[in-house]
Amino acid sequence: MHRFTACGGGFASALFAGSALAHGFGERYELPLPLALFLSASGLVVLVSFVVMALFLRQGTDLRGYPRVDLLRTRLGRALAARPMVLALRLAALFFYLLVIIAGLAGEQRTFKNIAPVMVWAVTWVGFAYAAALIGNLWALVNPLDTLYRWAERLARRPLWLGLRYPPALGQWPAVVLFLAFVWLELVSDSADTPATLAKLLLAYSALTWSGMLAFGREEWLRRGELLNVIYDYLSRFAPFEYRVVERKRQWNLRSYAVGLLQPVPLTASEIVLVVLILSAVSFDGFLETPAWAALVEHFRGDHAALKTSGLVASLLVFLAVYLATCSAIARLAGGAQPSLARIAGLFVLTLVPIAIAYHIAHYLSFFLMAGQYLVPLASDPFGRGWDLFGGATQFIRPTVIDARTVWYISVAAIVAGHIVAIVLAHIVALREFATRRAALRSQYPMVALMVAYTMTSLWIIAQPIVAPPR
C-alpha cells in the first residue's frame, strides 16, 4: 500500500509517485521541545492515570448490566433502522463491491487512475475501521458478500448450508491466517496497489467466504472466518452503538464508549492471537518508516520482501511473548489461588483494543485524508478512461490537507488516551477477577509498566517520519 500513499503536488503529479510513507508526508515538523520530553511526559500521564484509578475506582463493573438505551424504541431510531434505509445502504455497498471488481479487471492499471485501490485500502480498510471503532460495526450491516448470500438463500427458499458443524478447536484461526495474508499483501507485496490483483484477490476471497458459509452456515462463518467482520467486531466493542438480539427481539443500543470491551468470559487462544496481531501489525507498519528499519535493511542487504515477512512474523511473536509474560506476572502478583495463564490472557486481551484503535488513528490519519481526496476525481473516471462523469476529474489534490504538526498532536492525544482507557479497563477487570482490592491493585503493576513503555515506544515510532529534531 505504500506506493498508493505517495503524495504529489496534485493529482497528475501523483500518477508518477514512487515509494512513500504511509503517513503521506514529505513535510517535517520541528517540535518546540525535545522528543524525549514529549515521550516521558506522555508516559507520566499514563502512569498518573493509574494512580487516579487506584485511588478512586474501588470495585468492578457489573458486566451484564451496563446502561443501554435501545434506539429502536425511539421514532428516529426506527426510521434509521427501517428496511428501506438498510436496503439502500446494502445496495450502495454492493455497487462499490462490483465497481472494484470491474474497474480492477477492465480499467487502467495505474494506481491513481483506477478507483479499486482507494476503495480497498482507504475506504474499506481504514475508513470502515474508523467507523467500527468510533460508531459501530457498519460492515456487518452493509457487507456485500453477506447481501449476495442472503439473496441466494431467498431465491432457494431455504438456508444454503451443508449441515457441517464448525469445529470448536478451529476457533478464529481462519481469521488469523487470513489477516496475516492481508497484512502481508499490504506491507510486503509489490502488487498491493495493482487494480487487477486486488480484483482477483477479492473474487478469491468472496469464493472462500461463500464456501465457508455453505459449509458451516452463514452466521457461523461471519462470526469465525469472515475477516473484515471479525476484525471490525473487535474494534466495534469500543464503539457507542451496539446491535444485538435478546429473546428474539432486535436491539440497537446506545452505550458508553469502551464498555463493550469488558468481556466476562476469557477469550480463546485464537482470539488472543488475533487481537495481539491487530496491534502488532499496525505497529510493525509504523516501524517500517523508522531509521531503525532502514538500518536493518542496510545491514542485511538481502531480499527486502523476505526481510519484511520475517519482521512481520517476528513482531507478532514478540508482542505475544511480552503480553503473555505480563499476564504471567499479573497472576503471580495477585497472590492467593492463582488463575491460569490462559484465563488471565483471555480476560485482559481486550484491554489492548483501545491501544490498537489509537495507533490506527495516529498511523493512518493523514493517509486517509489524502487518499480520500482521490475519490472525487476517481468517481468521475473510475476506469481511467478519460471520462468526467460528474465534473470532478480534474479536482486538485491538496497534499497539505492536514499538516505534520496537526498529525503529531492528534497522534499524541490519541495514543495517550488509548493507553489511559486500556488502564481503566484492565483495572476494572482486575477488580472483578481477584478476591481483594489490594490483590487487584498489585496485579496491575506489570500492566501499567507495559502501558507506559508502549506509550513511549509507539509515540517514538509515530514521530520518526513526521518530527524533525529541534535545532
Side-chain angles (χ1 to χ4, degrees):
M1 188 174 67
H2 292 284
R3 285 187 295 111
F4 176 62
T5 61
C7 297
F11 182 71
S13 62
L15 299 179
F16 307 102
S19 185
L21 306 175
H23 291 285
F25 280 99
E27 176 188 5
R28 306 280 287 183
Y29 169 56
E30 185 172 302
L31 289 177
L33 297 171
L35 177 59
L37 288 181
F38 273 91
L39 303 187
S40 56
S42 300
L44 182 61
V45 169
V46 173
L47 180 60
V48 169
S49 71
F50 170 72
V51 175
V52 173
M53 289 302 102
L55 291 174
F56 296 102
L57 189 61
R58 296 179 175 270
Q59 62 183 11
T61 301
D62 182 356
L63 304 180
R64 296 167 297 178
Y66 58 77
R68 297 179 176 94
V69 176
D70 187 358
L71 298 177
L72 294 182
R73 294 184 178 181
T74 68
R75 181 177 298 178
L76 178 60
R78 289 192 297 270
L80 292 174
R83 288 184 182 275
M85 181 69 72
V86 174
L87 178 60
L89 292 174
R90 284 183 172 269
L91 288 174
L94 181 59
F95 169 79
F96 286 109
Y97 165 79
L98 296 173
L99 180 62
V100 167
I101 293 174
I102 298 171
L105 295 176
E108 169 67 50
Q109 291 304 299
R110 285 185 294 171
T111 300
F112 293 94
K113 294 290 286 182
N114 192 301
I115 200 171
V118 72
M119 288 300 302
V120 170
W121 297 117
V123 177
T124 304
W125 174 227
V126 180
F128 270 93
Y130 284 175
L134 302 178
I135 302 173
N137 191 356
L138 298 182
W139 181 257
L141 178 67
V142 304
N143 186 344
L145 305 181
D146 184 34
T147 298
L148 290 173
Y149 202 82
R150 284 172 181 256
W151 289 357
E153 288 186 325
R154 289 181 183 177
L155 287 175
R157 296 185 178 180
R158 63 181 180 86
L160 296 178
W161 177 36
L162 296 179
L164 299 180
R165 182 171 176 266
Y166 189 89
L170 198 56
Q172 288 186 337
W173 290 115
V176 173
V177 173
L178 286 170
F179 191 49
L180 270 172
F182 180 85
V183 175
W184 185 90
L185 174 68
E186 178 195 3
L187 302 182
V188 180
S189 174
D190 290 332
S191 301
D193 303 327
T194 304
T197 299
L198 292 176
K200 292 173 184 177
L201 289 174
L202 181 54
L203 287 172
Y205 178 72
S206 300
L208 175 64
T209 299
W210 293 327
S211 297
M213 291 178 173
L214 180 63
F216 303 113
R218 184 183 62 82
E219 292 186 2
E220 187 70 16
W221 188 256
L222 285 172
R223 189 167 63 93
R224 303 280 194 172
E226 204 284 275
L227 175 62
L228 295 178
N229 191 66
V230 171
I231 296 296
Y232 297 153
D233 176 68
Y234 283 118
L235 300 181
S236 69
R237 298 186 192 198
F238 179 83
F241 293 101
E242 167 199 44
Y243 176 82
R244 65 176 189 164
V245 178
V246 179
E247 297 178 352
R248 298 184 179 182
K249 292 183 178 180
R250 296 186 306 151
Q251 291 184 359
W252 181 30
N253 295 317
L254 179 63
R255 62 188 181 183
S256 298
Y257 272 103
V259 294
L261 294 168
L262 294 171
Q263 175 75 20
V265 179
L267 270 62
T268 63
S270 63
E271 294 168 329
I272 293 170
V273 172
L274 185 55
V275 172
V276 173
L277 178 57
I278 294 171
L279 180 59
S280 69
V282 71
S283 298
F284 179 66
D285 191 2
F287 183 68
L288 290 177
E289 300 165 10
T290 65
W293 176 258
L296 283 174
V297 173
E298 179 68 22
H299 175 74
F300 286 103
R301 293 181 177 274
D303 184 348
H304 198 191
L307 186 60
K308 279 187 176 181
T309 302
S310 301
L312 175 62
V313 175
S315 67
L316 171 60
L317 296 178
V318 168
F319 272 65
L320 273 174
V322 171
Y323 175 67
L324 293 177
T326 302
C327 290
S328 178
I330 288 174
R332 290 197 304 272
L333 288 175
Q338 293 184 10
S340 67
L341 175 59
R343 178 174 177 81
I344 292 298
L347 284 174
F348 283 92
V349 71
L350 286 180
T351 66
L352 301 179
V353 170
I355 303 173
I357 292 171
Y359 201 90
H360 204 85
I361 292 172
H363 182 67
Y364 288 118
L365 177 61
S366 58
F367 158 69
F368 179 68
L369 294 177
M370 173 59 61
Q373 294 182 73
Y374 286 94
L375 283 175
V376 175
L378 289 172
S380 288
D381 188 16
F383 295 85
R385 299 291 177 81
W387 302 343
D388 193 4
L389 300 177
F390 306 109
T394 57
Q395 173 72 34
F396 182 76
I397 305 302
R398 294 176 55 200
T400 56
V401 64
I402 182 171
D403 58 27
R405 176 179 181 274
T406 303
V407 169
W408 169 246
Y409 283 106
I410 291 176
S411 298
V412 171
I415 289 174
V416 171
H419 282 81
I420 291 174
V421 173
I423 282 181
V424 173
L425 293 174
H427 195 58
I428 292 173
V429 173
L431 288 170
R432 175 179 56 86
E433 177 65 15
F434 301 117
T436 65
R437 178 173 172 269
R438 183 181 180 86
L441 181 63
R442 188 170 55 242
S443 74
Q444 289 307 288
Y445 296 158
M447 184 65 80
V448 173
L450 176 64
M451 297 297 181
V452 171
Y454 190 66
T455 298
M456 299 173 69
T457 302
S458 56
L459 282 177
W460 176 84
I461 291 174
I462 287 289
Q464 300 310 299
I466 297 178
V467 178
R471 295 172 182 172

